[in-house]
Amino acid sequence: MYRATVCAPLLACATALVSACGDPPPTLGDLASRRGLLVGAAVQSQWLATEPDYAAAAAAEFHSLTPENAFKWMATEPSHGTFTWDEADAVADFAVAHHRTLRGHTLVWANSYSAQLFAILPDYVAQAPDAATMQGYLDEHIAAVVTRYADVTDRWDVVNEPLSTADATVDANVLTDTLGEAWMVRAFEQAHALDPEARLYVNEALIDGPGPRHDALMALVARLRAAGAPIHGVGLQSHFLFGAPPSADLESVMRDWGSVGLEVAITELDLPALDGDLDVQASAYRSVFESCLAVDACSEITLWGITDRHTWLDGFLGRPARPLLFDADMQRKPAYDAVAAALRGR
Ligand code: XIL
């Protein structure tokens, strides 16, 4: 359906006369494959099910999909022992049907700032009567999700936002306060034992340039690895609310991760066009893709959505953000063309 819109003026395209349109243009995934880059997008099952143009774009344009919320603890086991797999199964089924992989986002998200904004951790976890019970909940949760989706998931965001959002310290949240950093080591060990082929990530916000937060995350990752955590990569969320960072800054932190043997993924890219200037937005997108292409360690760019019709930023910012590559009518924006140009190398 999505490709048919490319040839909309020629009804013949919907029939056997496909050749009347020539070959469809390459998708972002096609272009990225030629550069050895993985491109992905976050999706929600409700729109995959009800919006054919959304589903078609998800299937056509990207190598990999990220369940925007469906894998999160609140979605899969909101109360202890009650598993709710419908949304996660729907995303996984879609990926399998379209021969796509999943980025498993996210096994554990306990950040104390994010917890004020969103329901990210079920109450029973926070209210565990003692450390052993809390660790048991973590073990059960990770085992349940990884076991169920290992076949379709080739990367996991094992730990999301371990740093405090306000500064460069390890976040003091209910898990870390009770269990120390050891819960993170154990989460990586467990995910690796259950899905040995998968690449395992720490995913973090606001680490897209040099500075104390980047240093703090490098130090934390070094400690976790020294304690035995099998970590393969670091995810830069890259919600660029105020525009893209300078390329030199982004490339510098990516190279730092590469220098310690880790891969880097941009995992949640979105770039609002709050002033309405779609050309400024397009060049910012282009710069982010060119930075990733310039650094060996950068293996992936995943967008936090597909279309401006559905973006978490409208709620987060309280006004239309228009941060993605397709507009609300699922038409390609200048940002799409800029990304395609970056991937083409011209
Ligand atoms: C967001 C989703 O997009 C929203 O739909 C949900 O209400 C809250 O979570 N960093 C992350 C993502 O790691 O999981 C968040 O996703 C956005 C910020």
Side-chain angles (χ1 to χ4, degrees):
M1 176 123 6
Y2 167 70
R3 287 197 174 196
T5 65
V6 171
C7 308
L10 294 175
L11 278 180
C13 290
T15 71
L17 296 175
V18 168
S19 60
C21 289
D23 291 332
T27 66
L28 295 180
D30 295 335
L31 294 171
S33 292
R34 296 176 197 162
R35 306 294 301 275
L37 179 69
L38 184 154
V39 291
V43 294
Q44 294 201 22
S45 62
Q46 51 183 320
W47 303 317
L48 291 174
T50 57
E51 299 180 9
D53 57 352
Y54 178 96
E61 293 284 348
F62 306 100
H63 300 119
S64 157
L65 302 174
T66 300
E68 185 170 343
N69 294 309
F71 274 23
K72 291 173 182 169
W73 201 333
M74 281 300 293
T76 60
E77 195 186 0
S79 57
H80 186 226
T82 303
F83 291 94
T84 44
W85 299 117
D86 288 0
E87 283 183 39
D89 282 357
V91 177
D93 289 349
F94 184 91
V96 170
H98 295 282
H99 310 290
R100 298 297 186 249
T101 56
L102 290 184
R103 183 177 188 95
H105 177 82
T106 172
L107 291 177
V108 190
W109 186 20
N111 181 277
S112 52
Y113 173 75
S114 294
Q116 294 170 34
L117 302 177
F118 311 110
I120 64 173
L121 200 66
D123 287 344
Y124 69 89
V125 182
Q127 291 161 5
D130 53 55
T133 306
M134 184 178 284
Q135 184 62 59
Y137 290 156
L138 267 166
D139 293 349
E140 285 172 23
H141 162 68
I142 291 170
V145 177
V146 176
T147 304
R148 193 171 180 94
Y149 298 113
D151 285 352
V152 63
T153 304
D154 63 359
R155 294 104 66 224
W156 292 98
D157 289 332
V158 176
V159 174
N160 197 33
E161 300 181 346
L163 297 183
S164 161
T165 305
D167 55 36
T169 60
V170 174
D171 186 50
N173 58 57
V174 66
L175 298 186
T176 308
D177 285 352
T178 311
L179 303 167
E181 291 176 10
W183 74 261
M184 301 189 217
V185 177
R186 184 160 165 149
F188 276 97
E189 288 172 339
Q190 199 188 359
H192 183 62
L194 294 163
D195 193 0
E197 303 295 314
R199 297 183 340 261
L200 306 181
Y201 278 70
V202 173
N203 194 47
E204 185 54 272
L206 305 170
I207 47 160
D208 314 287
R213 285 177 63 78
H214 171 65
D215 295 345
L217 193 64
M218 288 211 74
L220 173 63
V221 167
R223 284 197 301 280
L224 298 178
R225 293 174 89 189
I231 299 176
H232 306 106
V234 169
L236 315 184
Q237 288 186 5
S238 304
H239 295 291
F240 291 138
L241 303 193
F242 309 106
S247 319
D249 288 0
L250 188 55
E251 291 168 28
S252 154
V253 295
M254 288 174 168
R255 290 205 171 91
D256 281 352
W257 291 116
S259 75
V260 295
L262 296 177
E263 60 188 31
V264 184
I266 290 181
T267 53
E268 305 184 17
L269 178 62
D270 45 23
L271 265 156
L274 294 176
D275 60 3
D277 191 334
L278 298 183
D279 292 327
V280 170
Q281 178 184 54
S283 57
Y285 263 108
R286 181 172 184 141
S287 141
V288 174
F289 272 74
E290 287 178 344
S291 287
C292 181
L293 289 166
V295 178
D296 285 346
C298 186
S299 57
E300 166 182 354
I301 297 183
T302 281
L303 296 142
W304 207 240
I306 295 173
T307 157
D308 293 345
R309 193 189 300 161
H310 301 301
T311 164
W312 78 297
L313 285 177
D314 285 358
F316 189 69
L317 297 172
R319 55 188 165 140
R322 291 184 289 164
L324 295 163
L325 301 187
F326 290 86
D327 71 14
D329 297 321
M330 205 58 83
Q331 299 301 306
R332 296 169 177 181
K333 293 166 60 183
Y336 180 103
D337 297 332
V339 167
L343 292 171
R344 285 193 164 96
R346 54 189 149 84

